[in-house]
Amino acid sequence: MPDGISVPSYDRATLTPGIVHIGLGNFHRAHQAWYLHRLMQDGKAHDWAIIGAGVRPADARMRETLLAQDGLTTLIELDPAGKSAEITGSMIGFVPVEDGNGALIAQMADPAIRIVSLTVTEGGYYRNADGGFDAEHPDIRHDAANPEAPRTAFGAIVAALKARRASGAGSFTCQSCDNLQGNGDILRETVIGLARLDDPDLAGWIESHATFPNAMVDCIVPATGAAELTLVREFGIDDKAPVTHENFRQWVIEDRFCAGRPPWEDAGATLTDDVHDYEAMKLRCLNAGHQVISNAGELLSLATIADCMAHPTIRALFRRVEMDEIVPHVSPVPGMTPEAYVDLIETRFANPQIRDTVRRVAFDGSSRHPGFLLPVIRDALAAANPIDGLALVEALWARMCEGTREDGSVIEPNDPHWTTLNAVAIAAQDDPAAWLGQRAIYGDLGADTRFAEAFARWHRAIRANGAEAAIRAYLES
């Protein structure tokens, strides 16, 4: 490596596996894998190396790419004061991605594996419109009927736990690293709910023996494209899958691990018995804040989140919605008030070195709005607090889902349910209530008169005068 590039100081040939991670994308490599690498650099956790895994075709491409470079990853930190790069080596293998997930099940059934962690996106946990486990989803029905050849990560986890019960290997900890309030609780409901459909005795054993710690994860990690591939070459490194990230990380973990864990706290993670307030602050301020600005940015043809924050009107929208309508429903955590956290987020979002695209942040709104924004709206309505800006944000999303920007250019499909969203958004041009009638997203929230009236008012204003004029009207109100 060129001078100045940090590389693993540990002998990777002596590492042994302890973690299987499903969904090995950029965020995992810049976050959980980095924490483990940091421990290994200090001579710790050498028996906790990561085996990558996946259940989608894209995971097979990632496997091929990473195995070709021995599982090494270049992490490039994008600090406004300057860029730096390091090579991490905490991943030592990647199981074949195949129909039926036999290799994944066998790997998780290995007694050496003590943690199975996941990043499968907010919308990947099979939740129904009421927020519960969706036992009727076709994927879930398939796995319940074919427990030895499942198609989902959760079916593979159930099959592996069944094998471990039979072999006497004991359970492993299931650790979600996705942006969900109570992500461990949700993972638990999905795994046990699926097991119960086929084998209630196994479900009871999992409930008694496995643990599912909640956690809050935080680091802005853009997707890798041509610019990132050019950047890594500028460092003199030949990496086909580099990862860029901001100069900030946070990981708050509930300390519930049934089969041991690495000393995450020695690498800077916070171990606690109560993650809830940390989760709520991050999801409601940062993740909801991303949605506040990204849909407006898309409509106004802005490329990145930093571009949105450089737009005075969008930045003012972010600031007012956060302070007036979100912060009142967020509790402080040790060392941080909600107001100070919003200040921190504003600085992070504005970092011009982070080319985090508006398209990436606006992706999968059908999961992100119910997960990040709608709980705040419900709390605000219950407390008779302001919701005007949040209703405007929902109207901006509806307008974005029409599929065109204000300059007439086309917004390519950007949601797993884009076809439905696009059709409903077009119908809402004449009847705004049609958008709020999507019960899978809004539940009974669309029937709330105060919210529905505010949404319809802003939706009409956006369509009549454009997004920026509507935002200005809100800021002047």
Side-chain angles (χ1 to χ4, degrees):
M1 287 294 107
D3 292 341
I5 305 297
S6 171
V7 300
S9 61
Y10 45 91
D11 181 359
R12 296 181 70 235
T14 67
L15 300 180
T16 56
I19 298 171
V20 167
H21 185 84
I22 302 172
L24 202 143
N26 281 14
F27 180 79
H28 163 75
R29 291 188 289 150
H31 197 262
Q32 183 194 33
W34 176 86
Y35 279 92
L36 190 59
H37 167 73
R38 183 173 172 183
L39 289 174
M40 291 175 171
Q41 292 286 73
D42 290 338
K44 304 171 184 176
H46 288 187
D47 60 340
W48 285 100
I50 295 166
I51 303 292
V55 296
R56 304 170 305 144
D59 296 316
R61 292 192 295 274
M62 178 63 78
R63 176 181 185 268
E64 180 180 335
T65 300
L66 291 179
L67 288 183
Q69 54 194 53
D70 299 320
L72 295 169
T73 287
T74 307
L75 296 183
I76 302 174
E77 181 175 283
L78 301 177
D79 188 322
K83 306 179 185 72
S84 61
E86 64 178 323
I87 311 297
T88 64
S90 56
M91 192 192 87
I92 61 171
F94 203 127
V95 298
V97 180
E98 58 189 16
D99 291 341
N101 289 306
L104 173 57
I105 294 167
Q107 183 68 68
M108 292 189 292
D110 183 341
I113 300 304
R114 288 150 285 162
I115 295 174
V116 170
S117 53
L118 305 92
T119 41
V120 294
T121 78
E122 298 88 356
Y125 286 79
Y126 296 96
R127 316 301 291 171
N128 59 30
D130 297 323
F133 171 58
D134 185 1
E136 299 305 316
H137 192 283
D139 290 346
I140 296 299
R141 301 307 302 177
H142 172 277
D143 284 7
N146 302 275
E148 305 307 320
R151 64 171 57 139
T152 73
F154 311 104
I157 288 171
V158 171
L161 288 170
K162 182 177 181 178
R164 291 174 73 112
R165 181 183 64 164
S167 70
S171 184
F172 46 68
T173 294
C174 300
Q175 185 173 21
S176 172
C177 298
D178 281 303
N179 286 312
L180 291 163
Q181 183 86 48
N183 55 11
D185 295 336
I186 289 172
L187 176 56
R188 177 180 179 276
E189 289 176 12
T190 302
V191 169
I192 294 175
L194 174 55
R196 189 171 289 121
L197 294 176
D198 170 62
D199 189 338
D201 289 342
L202 175 61
W205 183 86
I206 295 172
E207 192 166 18
S208 299
H209 292 79
T211 48
F212 300 82
N214 292 305
M216 183 273 274
V217 296
D218 192 5
C219 184
I220 295 173
V221 182
T224 296
E228 289 72 23
L229 292 170
T230 298
L231 178 59
V232 77
R233 287 194 293 271
E234 291 175 358
F235 277 96
I237 303 170
D238 179 16
D239 187 333
K240 300 300 189 294
V243 177
T244 59
H245 61 91
E246 65 172 332
N247 59 328
F248 178 92
R249 283 186 185 85
Q250 189 177 20
W251 196 11
V252 182
I253 314 168
E254 189 176 24
D255 198 359
R256 297 179 61 243
F257 291 80
C258 63
R261 62 170 177 81
W264 297 122
E265 64 272 32
D266 292 351
T270 298
L271 276 294
T272 179
D273 292 330
D274 185 8
V275 177
H276 176 79
D277 286 343
Y278 290 93
E279 288 178 317
M281 179 179 285
K282 192 261 180 172
L283 297 178
R284 293 188 173 201
C285 294
L286 189 147
N287 295 102
H290 260 155
Q291 301 310 302
V292 168
I293 62 178
S294 63
N295 300 144
E298 186 72 276
L299 290 172
L300 298 179
S301 303
L302 301 176
T304 69
I305 294 302
D307 291 340
C308 292
M309 297 305 283
H311 191 289
T313 304
I314 295 180
R315 188 165 188 156
L317 172 69
F318 168 83
R319 188 80 190 176
R320 182 168 174 190
V321 171
E322 288 276 4
M323 290 300 191
D324 291 0
E325 302 188 19
I326 295 177
V327 161
H329 306 286
V330 176
S331 299
V333 299
M336 183 70 71
T337 66
E339 293 82 1
Y341 189 59
V342 171
D343 292 341
L344 173 63
I345 292 167
E346 188 170 6
T347 300
R348 293 167 62 192
F349 283 5
N351 181 352
Q353 298 295 333
I354 297 289
R355 291 197 56 80
D356 200 11
T357 65
V358 165
R359 179 173 177 79
R360 185 196 78 84
V361 173
F363 174 74
D364 197 13
S366 61
S367 292
R368 294 180 175 184
H369 282 251
F372 307 146
L373 288 162
L374 302 191
V376 183
I377 295 174
R378 292 180 188 278
D379 286 353
L381 289 169
N385 282 346
I387 50 92
D388 225 31
L390 292 166
L392 170 58
V393 170
E394 293 305 297
L396 289 165
W397 179 41
R399 168 64 184 85
M400 190 202 82
C401 289
E402 291 180 25
T404 58
R405 301 179 184 87
E406 292 191 349
D407 63 7
S409 58
V410 173
I411 300 172
E412 296 297 329
N414 200 25
D415 192 286
H417 304 287
W418 182 262
T419 300
T420 299
L421 292 173
N422 179 244
V424 177
I426 291 171
Q429 293 175 354
D430 297 320
D431 178 18
W435 183 260
L436 298 185
Q438 299 178 95
R439 288 193 60 83
I441 295 171
Y442 290 98
D444 59 359
L445 193 56
D448 184 281
T449 301
R450 185 173 162 228
F451 175 59
E453 289 178 351
F455 172 87
R457 183 175 73 253
W458 289 124
H459 190 272
R460 289 191 292 267
I462 294 166
R463 292 206 49 75
N465 304 309
E468 188 167 358
I471 295 169
R472 289 186 183 278
Y474 164 68
L475 294 173
E476 294 166 2
S477 64

